[in-house]
Amino acid sequence: MAATVMSKKRKFVADGVFYAELNEFLTRELAEDGYSGVEVRHTVVRTEIIIRATRTQSVLGEKGRRIRELTALVQKRFSFPEGSVELYAERVMNRGLCAVAQCESLRYKLLGGLAVRRACYGVMRFVMESEARGCEVIVSGKLRAQRAKAMKFTDGYMVKSGNPKEHYVDRAVRHVKLRQGVLGIKVSIMLPHDPYGKIGPKVQQPDVITVLEPKEDDEVKTQ
């Protein structure tokens, strides 16, 4: 069967819709397993979906049963041919620098009945101990009284505007359905600069200036 010709614009839109729906599905399905994001790689042979999570063993399941079930669901929902889609689980190296993981952690703390202030300070302390440059947690909704309000907790250094915001700040938003109503959680983490790109971006901030030591002048011998 001949491949259908698709315009570039439609291709980008279709890829974006596929990613958004897949991310939403995995967020709901793997919330308790520390789901931290998904990466889709298209190769000539197959489509590879890499699931990033803090507890990869739970994602894989007993003898890989759960990952096979997820593969079958994704294959059926998005009409992939048999054997053309493959799911992998990748462990998050430093969950303290992952906004999604910390947002889910805070969500489960609040669902467990922990006080908002105590839960937020616990998350912030853990993030800052993981060598983050800054952290901001905002919880809004009916916190204690009937009147809704927002509480903001900040620590360290946080970039709010410009291009570095796109590279250095990791953000996540979640909703907690409590008895008194819905709470909104926003977690922002300012990542450290890493020349190797493992725990933070390789790109240096534009306002960072490195002063080099001057070269030593060779002494000129006079006769």
Side-chain angles (χ1 to χ4, degrees), residues 76-90:
K76 197 171 182 181
R77 167 62 188 88
F78 298 104
S79 306
F80 282 106
E82 189 73 35
S84 65
V85 65
E86 197 74 45
L87 266 70
Y88 301 99
E90 184 182 74

Side-chain angles (χ1 to χ4, degrees), residues 84-194:
S84 65
V85 65
E86 197 74 45
L87 266 70
Y88 301 99
E90 184 182 74
R91 190 166 179 269
V92 175
M93 295 305 291
N94 196 340
R95 66 190 181 95
L97 297 177
C98 179
V100 176
Q102 292 311 308
C103 216
E104 287 290 349
S105 168
L106 181 56
R107 181 167 162 259
Y108 279 101
K109 281 181 181 178
L110 294 174
L111 283 169
L114 196 65
V116 174
R117 201 180 295 268
R118 191 173 177 186
C120 292
Y121 277 126
V123 166
M124 268 175 46
R125 190 175 66 247
F126 183 72
V127 169
M128 295 308 288
E129 283 171 1
S130 301
E131 297 181 9
R133 292 182 68 188
C135 178
E136 182 182 86
V137 180
I138 302 171
V139 181
S140 58
K142 289 199 279 190
L143 301 172
R144 292 181 76 178
Q146 276 296 104
R147 182 75 182 220
K149 61 175 182 176
M151 290 173 81
K152 186 192 277 190
F153 305 87
T154 54
D155 195 3
Y157 170 61
M158 180 70 64
V159 170
K160 293 281 187 171
S161 61
N163 193 45
K165 179 185 75 170
E166 305 300 324
H167 296 288
Y168 276 87
V169 182
D170 189 18
R171 288 187 192 78
V173 177
R174 289 290 180 272
H175 301 96
V176 191
K177 292 175 183 175
L178 298 175
R179 196 177 60 193
Q180 68 266 30
V182 179
L183 294 186
I185 305 169
K186 279 185 192 175
V187 175
S188 303
I189 298 171
M190 176 85 178
L191 303 170
H193 170 66
D194 182 15

